[in-house]
Amino acid sequence: MKALVKTSAQKGLTLTEVPEPTIRDDEVLIRVRSAGVCGTDVHIYEWDAWAAGRCKPPFVVGHEFAGDVVAVGSLVHDVHVGDRVTAEGHIVDERSIFSRTGQAHVDPSTRIIGVDRDGCFADYIAMPATNVWHLDDAISYDIGGIHDPMGNAFHTALTADIPGAVVLITGCGPIGAFAVGICKAAGAARIIATDINPRRLELARLMGAHDAVLPDEASRAVKAASDGHGADVVLEMSGVPSAVHQAFALARPGGRVNMLGIPSKTIDIDFASEIIFKGLTIYGVVGRRMYDTWHQMSRFIRSGNFDPTPVITHRLPLEAVDDAMALIKSGEAGKIIFQL
Ligand code: ZN
């Protein structure tokens, strides 16, 4: 089958032929139809310090996808050939203490498809049946293929108290843009989104932001919306040090800051003034809660109140991998999808 492979410990990805995966008794084989391209894939493509420390080539890259089930193992009874599915890409041991106590998303032994084992930028992928998530017939493969990053946004937004809240979202890449739409659907009173990129601000407006502004205009917008108190909830989606400081500064006393953006290096924080004396609650977002986030996401999409479609800006074949990576790095793209 055709696959995008990290063949060796250097920059680039290679489109090549590899054997079709075989499945274990508790796994299913999925014909991939659509696969989302992610910042994580850029790290692996560039072979930066994170990728070099984590990944072991050769492996098939890609972790966001949707497709059709074409074979099931002998122990699988609730997934059938022909089912339209996506899947949670974080594979955890169901018997771990984290899984058994509802914290599977932070299990340190998690193995991620396309990072720690073969991924989905390929004609076929093998997945444990327990990770499979069925798609409603009305949901396209393209929307199915971005459930993973949308799930990050749902996890970030819905672990805060959104109804009636003034929400500040710092960073409007694809996940920040999804978060804008989710907060809108969840009944936020005011959504203020920031980015330095005008295209991303436009995307935030399309997704329903009341104010989509440059970072240095955020303070005025937040104060105007909150009687000067600050944002009830901040969703930090950028990982940029100045945005992290701003997230703490513009949260109201007693507010909540949910942090998804990953800083590339250590940030100096004045814990006393920025966090402790303000009584902030900080929440680190890893992956998607299994499977509360997936359930909420499916119900929001089914309701018709949340439509992620505007975030998808490019649909490309696997052959265009170099273009896809360049587009993401340029900041000119929303979500990019490989169609197979
Ligand atoms: Zn991703």
Side-chain angles (χ1 to χ4, degrees):
M1 67 170 185
K2 195 163 68 173
L4 271 177
V5 179
K6 189 74 186 178
T7 53
S8 60
Q10 58 185 325
K11 185 175 170 171
L13 291 173
T14 308
L15 186 61
T16 184
E17 287 287 323
V18 299
E20 271 179 35
T22 52
I23 54 169
R24 297 186 327 205
D25 292 341
D26 61 348
E27 289 184 334
V28 306
L29 188 67
I30 299 164
R31 170 71 171 94
V32 178
R33 298 293 179 187
S34 173
V37 190
C38 174
T40 302
D41 304 317
V42 179
H43 292 294
I44 294 170
Y45 178 87
E46 294 291 332
W47 202 244
D48 64 8
W50 171 82
R54 169 91 180 233
C55 306
K56 292 179 180 52
F59 64 99
V60 178
V61 179
H63 56 273
E64 308 171 356
F65 73 95
D68 301 305
V69 175
V70 292
V72 302
S74 61
L75 296 175
V76 178
H77 301 295
D78 59 348
V79 183
H80 304 97
V81 170
D83 287 357
R84 298 171 71 254
V85 300
T86 178
E88 167 58 59
H90 289 196
I91 295 170
V92 294
D93 174 4
E94 288 169 86
R95 296 285 299 160
S96 83
I97 192 63
F98 298 97
S99 293
R100 297 182 76 189
T101 54
Q103 298 273 312
H105 60 296
V106 291
D107 189 329
S109 66
T110 298
R111 299 186 75 241
I112 304 177
I113 61 170
V115 175
D116 305 309
R117 60 180 256 166
D118 282 335
C120 64
F121 291 162
D123 290 330
Y124 297 94
I125 183 170
M127 286 302 295
T130 183
N131 282 60
V132 167
W133 192 260
H134 284 95
L135 296 172
D136 285 354
D137 289 342
I139 296 180
S140 66
Y141 291 118
D142 286 356
I143 301 300
I146 56 171
H147 269 45
D148 168 299
M150 269 195 307
N152 288 125
F154 273 99
H155 182 180
T156 311
L158 297 188
T159 41
D161 205 3
I162 299 298
V166 172
V167 181
L168 171 65
I169 299 175
T170 51
C172 297
I175 297 178
F178 292 138
V180 169
I182 295 161
C183 290
K184 186 91 171 181
R190 189 91 187 170
I191 302 164
I192 300 126
T194 67
D195 204 288
I196 55 168
N197 180 327
R199 277 182 190 245
R200 291 182 161 187
L201 291 178
E202 190 48 47
L203 190 55
R205 270 180 219 112
L206 262 175
M207 292 301 290
H210 300 92
D211 306 287
V213 297
L214 295 168
D216 59 7
E217 298 161 355
S219 176
R220 202 161 47 94
V222 167
K223 286 185 175 136
S226 62
D227 303 315
H229 297 308
D232 302 299
V233 174
V234 183
L235 310 181
E236 206 305 291
M237 301 294 203
S238 74
V240 174
S242 57
V244 172
H245 289 299
Q246 188 172 51
F248 299 146
L250 295 186
R252 69 163 166 82
R256 182 174 175 109
V257 182
N258 284 358
M259 307 192 67
L260 176 111
I262 300 167
S264 58
K265 52 181 193 290
T266 311
I267 301 178
D268 257 332
I269 307 285
D270 180 347
F271 276 84
S273 67
E274 292 187 73
I275 298 171
I276 298 169
F277 290 126
K278 281 190 77 170
L280 297 185
T281 300
I282 312 287
Y283 178 72
V285 181
V286 185
R288 297 142 297 279
R289 295 186 57 84
M290 298 172 207
Y291 278 80
D292 342 22
T293 300
W294 289 84
H295 178 66
Q296 287 179 309
M297 174 160 52
S298 291
R299 291 292 173 88
F300 264 69
I301 294 171
R302 194 183 289 172
S303 77
N305 295 326
F306 167 73
D307 178 13
T309 310
V311 183
I312 302 173
T313 55
H314 296 75
R315 294 168 173 83
L316 301 169
L318 286 184
E319 284 76 7
V321 58
D322 294 322
D323 296 340
M325 297 297 157
L327 272 165
I328 292 181
K329 283 192 283 178
S330 75
E332 295 301 300
K335 195 71 195 170
I336 298 175
I337 282 178
F338 286 137
Q339 289 182 322
L340 288 93

